[in-house]
């Protein structure tokens, strides 16, 4: 009996969309190695710039198709979804489900019991007095990403004036550039526990109502406290078939959710076994395949 294959859509490279994007090549090769998937590439960069959508193969596609690639703004994902639909190709994650998990303000209401507290400013006009009434220290991201690893401050505190904050935000907007998405999320800054200088963070992938992987997500040593699985299991079955939640241990030994995202555009952890991951993805979703 021939094993049913699923289809994964990957971004092709900028120069030639028939070749996998270099930064996605490890995942592409892992998916191929499983022999469980048909892998299809598309003209990601040119399509994003407004060109017609082009795929490397239209004949060997089984629905639903799993997208694994770069982050798209909700309106870009909607466009991709609709253009594929016009060709009879159905992405696993519908646009509404993508936005449910990709935009932090949307998922926050579902995870707030165990997440860092957050105030959302949809118009991007952050009123610091409002923030300082709630948080002693706080950090900033847009609806999707922060700019950590840059000169933008890791956090602000009660000593920060509105003028200082507004000036610092110019740097934030410079780094996010065209990738800026949604409004501004101001989050309570948490003291994270460190082991050999590394925080203790775990990324959990959820697929079709199951946990399919739990991986160390900050290059922490082996001898760390493990993520309590009862906490991870509490967030099964959110408003998407495929998503991630990132958890971190705090300095006092408790655990908090620090991020969430759509599974299609969430990266694997450094050192995570990509072949094992793709095998898990297949077994989670194969029952949905046509």
């Amino acid at each position: 009996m021939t094993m049913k294959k699923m289809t994964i859509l990957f971004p092709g490279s900028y120069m030639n969309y028939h070749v996998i994007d270099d930064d996605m090549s490890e995942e592409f090769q892992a998916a191929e190695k499983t022999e469980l998937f048909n892998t299809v590439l598309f003209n990601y960069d040119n399509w994003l710039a407004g060109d017609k959508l082009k795929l490397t193969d239209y004949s060997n596609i089984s629905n639903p198709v799993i997208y694994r690639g770069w982050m798209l703004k909700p309106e870009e994902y909607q466009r991709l979804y609709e253009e594929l639909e016009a060709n009879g190709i159905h992405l696993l994650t519908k646009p509404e489900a993508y936005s449910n998990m990709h935009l932090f303000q949307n998922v926050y209401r579902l995870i707030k019991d165990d997440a860092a507290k957050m105030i959302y400013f949809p118009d991007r006009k952050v009123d610091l007095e409002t923030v300082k009434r709630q948080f002693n220290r706080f950090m900033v991201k847009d609806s999707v990403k922060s700019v950590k690893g840059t000169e933008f401050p890791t956090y602000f505190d009660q000593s920060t004036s509105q003028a200082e904050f507004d000036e610092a935000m110019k740097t934030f907007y410079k780094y996010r550039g065209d990738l800026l998405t949604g409004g501004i999320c101001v989050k309570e800054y948490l003291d994270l526990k460190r082991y050999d200088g590394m925080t203790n963070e775990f990324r959990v992938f959820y697929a079709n109502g199951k946990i399919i992987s739990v991986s160390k997500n900050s290059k922490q040593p082996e001898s760390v406290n493990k993520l309590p699985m009862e906490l991870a299991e509490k967030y099964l079955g959110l408003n998407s078939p495929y998503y991630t939640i990132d958890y971190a241990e705090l300095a006092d030994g408790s655990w908090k959710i620090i991020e969430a995202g759509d599974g299609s555009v969430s990266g694997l952890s450094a050192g995570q076994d990509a072949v094992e991951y793709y095998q898990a993805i297949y077994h989670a979703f194969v029952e949905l395949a046509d």
Side-chain angles (χ1 to χ4, degrees):
M1 181 177 174
T2 304
M3 181 171 282
K4 184 188 293 184
K5 286 193 173 187
M6 297 195 70
T7 302
I8 300 186
L9 181 66
F10 286 105
S13 73
Y14 176 73
M15 298 302 292
N16 177 6
Y17 76 90
H18 288 265
V19 177
I20 186 65
D21 184 290
D22 281 349
D23 291 329
M24 292 297 298
S25 61
E26 183 183 350
E27 286 201 33
F28 178 83
Q29 289 164 16
E32 294 236 300
K33 190 173 181 179
T34 67
E35 299 183 348
L36 299 172
F37 299 97
N38 296 315
T39 50
V40 178
L41 307 180
F42 76 110
N43 58 332
Y44 172 83
D45 291 286
N46 288 337
W47 171 81
L48 209 53
D51 285 3
K52 182 180 177 182
L53 182 68
K54 296 177 183 176
L55 307 186
T56 53
D57 185 2
Y58 286 87
S59 63
N60 220 6
I61 292 176
S62 55
N63 288 314
V65 170
I66 299 167
Y67 172 56
R68 282 294 293 168
W70 309 124
M71 288 184 179
L72 295 168
K73 294 181 180 181
E75 60 272 21
E76 294 166 346
Y77 187 87
Q78 174 97 30
R79 181 179 144 220
L80 179 64
Y81 185 92
E82 290 175 354
E83 290 186 27
L84 288 168
E85 283 278 308
N87 286 285
I89 299 166
H90 312 307
L91 284 180
L92 170 77
T93 303
K94 291 182 168 56
E96 182 181 3
Y98 180 83
S99 293
N100 284 343
M101 297 304 302
H102 187 59
L103 302 178
F104 191 75
Q105 70 272 15
N106 289 349
V107 68
Y108 176 72
R109 61 189 178 82
L110 303 175
I111 61 174
K112 63 183 179 180
D113 288 352
D114 293 295
K117 292 185 174 62
M118 187 271 288
I119 306 173
Y120 181 58
F121 295 90
D123 59 4
R124 302 179 187 160
K125 295 175 182 176
V126 177
D127 176 47
L128 222 57
E129 289 308 309
T130 299
V131 173
K132 291 199 285 192
R133 280 197 293 271
Q134 296 209 36
F135 307 140
N136 286 325
R137 293 181 299 165
F138 48 94
M139 57 179 289
V140 172
K141 59 175 283 186
D142 66 13
S143 291
V144 176
K145 291 279 281 185
S146 65
V147 293
K148 64 182 180 181
T150 71
E151 71 269 26
F152 185 73
T154 304
Y155 67 84
F156 301 91
D157 60 24
Q158 291 288 324
S159 70
T160 306
S161 69
Q162 184 74 54
E164 289 169 334
F165 180 82
D166 291 343
E167 186 63 29
M169 286 301 290
K170 293 176 183 177
T171 301
F172 179 89
Y173 291 126
K174 178 186 78 173
Y175 278 105
R176 286 302 283 145
D178 291 340
L179 298 176
L180 184 72
T181 303
I184 296 297
C185 298
V186 178
K187 298 169 68 175
E188 175 187 20
Y189 183 78
L190 302 174
D191 283 314
L192 304 184
K193 186 157 188 172
R194 293 181 180 271
Y195 297 80
D196 298 337
M198 299 294 186
T199 55
N200 191 21
E201 302 175 29
F202 287 82
R203 172 159 291 181
V204 179
F205 273 89
Y206 298 81
N208 199 20
K210 310 173 187 75
I211 289 173
I212 61 161
S213 77
V214 179
S215 56
K216 299 200 306 295
N217 202 36
S218 55
K219 299 181 180 178
Q220 65 268 47
E222 286 296 327
S223 56
V224 295
N225 290 329
K226 299 296 185 260
L227 171 67
M229 287 309 293
E230 61 270 22
L231 177 59
E233 289 164 357
K234 182 176 176 181
Y235 293 99
L236 287 164
L238 298 187
N239 297 334
S240 168
Y242 184 29
Y243 58 93
T244 56
I245 299 180
D246 294 348
Y247 301 85
E249 184 183 11
L250 304 192
D252 65 5
S254 63
W255 290 81
K256 286 284 189 184
I257 293 171
I258 55 172
E259 278 301 342
D262 172 75
S264 305
V265 298
S266 294
L268 302 188
S269 301
Q272 185 172 355
D273 187 319
V275 171
E276 201 173 88
Y277 173 79
Y278 276 95
Q279 288 169 335
I281 278 286
Y282 175 84
H283 291 299
F285 289 123
V286 67
E287 67 188 56
L288 306 179
D290 59 20

